[in-house]
Every structure is written in C-alpha cells, then in structure tokens.
Amino acid sequence: ADGLSSYKADIAAAVLCLMLGGVDEANCLVVPHARSQPTAYGGMPITNSPVKQEAKYCKHLVHRIEGLNPGEDGVGFYNSIGWLKQSLPTDQSHAIYPRLREAAERLAPAAAGFGCGEARAALRTMGPERWLPRSFIGLCEQAVEFEDGELMAFCGAVQTEELLLLFEHVTYTEALEVESSRDAAAV
C-alpha cells in the first residue's frame, strides 16, 4: 500500500496546490501520472500509475483554472475538455458528482442578475441530480469572457467545493485503505 499511498499523496498535494492557486505546481505533480511521455516540468512518466484517472481529472481542473490563458497545449478551457474526455472517457460520473451537484444547487444565487440566471439555467439544462462538467466548463468560460462578477463568483464557489470534494475523496479512500490494512495485520 506504500506505493499507492505515495501516488495518492501526489494527487492530494496537487489538489491542495490548486486550492492555494498553485496551478503550475499542481500540474507538475500530476503530469507523471497522467502522461505517457516525459516532460521538462513533470519528469519521467509513472508507467501504469494506479491514480492515472484521478491525475487526468486534476489535469482537467488545472486547465479549467487556466481559463482563457494559454497552457502547455493551447488555451486552458479547450485543454480542460480534452483532459476531461481522457479522465472520464464516456459519460461516466465521477464519485464526487452527486455531492458537487447538491453544492451547486445550494450555491446558485437566487438574485435576478444575468449571472444568477445563467447559473440556474445551466443547472436546469444538466437535468435533475446530474452534473455535466462540460456544461460547467462552458459556464466558467462565459463568466470570464463576459466578465460577469456574479457568474464568476458562482463558478469560483462551485470550483472550491469541487476541490474540497476531490481532496476528501482521495484522502478518505486512502484512510479507509490504511485502516483496513491495519485491521488485517492485527488479525
């Protein structure tokens, strides 16, 4: 479990970096797990990394946070969609999506401003109890392009919840595995 713990620690550390605004630092932590080729900033790839899907999901977040800024392979929002497709190749749902949808519903402002209406409309088009990350990428892009403060605040709040949920997901499952291995060793 030590190797897996180390790999999950990379993902957890990357999520913490994203929470603190360390986009490049987060990218460097997940690149070895997500890419199959060496990079100058991430080093050698970790072949058959057991956290490859989570690393690719983090890459999606890195690029979404980059927004309209250019990243390693183009504009952030565009790259975010590409990494999302790699992390969830079909219409799979990530384990955090049900709780993320609940948070988004709770955070959707009730005010009458344009951004508030756009946030509520995006949630309606996702359908009940569904989270569609590509729709959220589009909403974030719209917020930035139109410099809509209300919509940017909503997207930022949802993104914060997403990072918290992802961190909890990575560290909680790790804690369960450690506890389970301790229980097995005690028997």
Side-chain angles (χ1 to χ4, degrees):
D2 290 336
L4 182 59
S5 296
S6 170
Y7 295 147
K8 284 189 174 185
D10 286 346
I11 303 303
V15 174
L16 285 174
C17 287
L18 289 174
M19 289 177 183
L20 298 170
V23 177
D24 291 336
E25 293 81 357
N27 195 39
C28 290
L29 286 165
V30 298
V31 160
H33 298 282
R35 288 190 176 262
S36 58
Q37 300 296 320
T39 64
Y41 48 89
M44 295 301 292
I46 297 171
T47 309
N48 301 318
S49 171
V51 294
K52 187 178 211 85
Q53 293 311 110
E54 294 299 346
K56 289 180 177 184
Y57 190 79
C58 281
K59 287 284 292 173
H60 144 68
L61 297 176
V62 161
H63 291 298
R64 190 179 70 212
I65 291 168
E66 285 175 341
L68 294 173
N69 297 305
E72 63 205 74
D73 297 315
V75 174
F77 287 125
Y78 176 78
N79 286 336
S80 179
I81 291 170
W83 282 102
L84 179 64
K85 287 179 185 176
Q86 289 185 49
S87 71
L88 301 171
T90 60
D91 280 340
Q92 295 172 322
S93 179
H94 193 284
I96 67 170
Y97 285 173
R99 290 177 58 204
L100 182 57
R101 172 57 191 239
E102 290 172 10
E105 288 283 349
R106 185 180 73 253
L107 294 166
F114 175 78
C116 299
E118 288 299 303
R120 289 189 307 274
L123 292 173
R124 276 194 309 275
T125 60
M126 288 182 193
E129 298 181 20
R130 279 187 79 196
W131 182 254
L132 300 177
R134 287 184 73 168
S135 295
F136 186 63
I137 294 167
L139 193 65
C140 293
E141 186 172 12
Q142 182 180 347
V144 172
E145 284 180 353
F146 293 110
E147 298 179 359
D148 185 314
E150 290 175 336
L151 193 52
M152 282 195 269
F154 170 75
C155 290
V158 172
Q159 184 168 276
T160 297
E161 287 289 326
E162 182 177 25
L163 291 169
L164 290 169
L165 290 169
L166 184 59
F167 183 79
E168 181 183 274
H169 170 72
V170 171
T171 58
Y172 181 70
T173 56
E174 176 65 18
L176 288 178
E177 289 166 6
V178 169
E179 186 175 310
S180 175
S181 66
R182 281 189 198 141
D183 290 347
V187 173

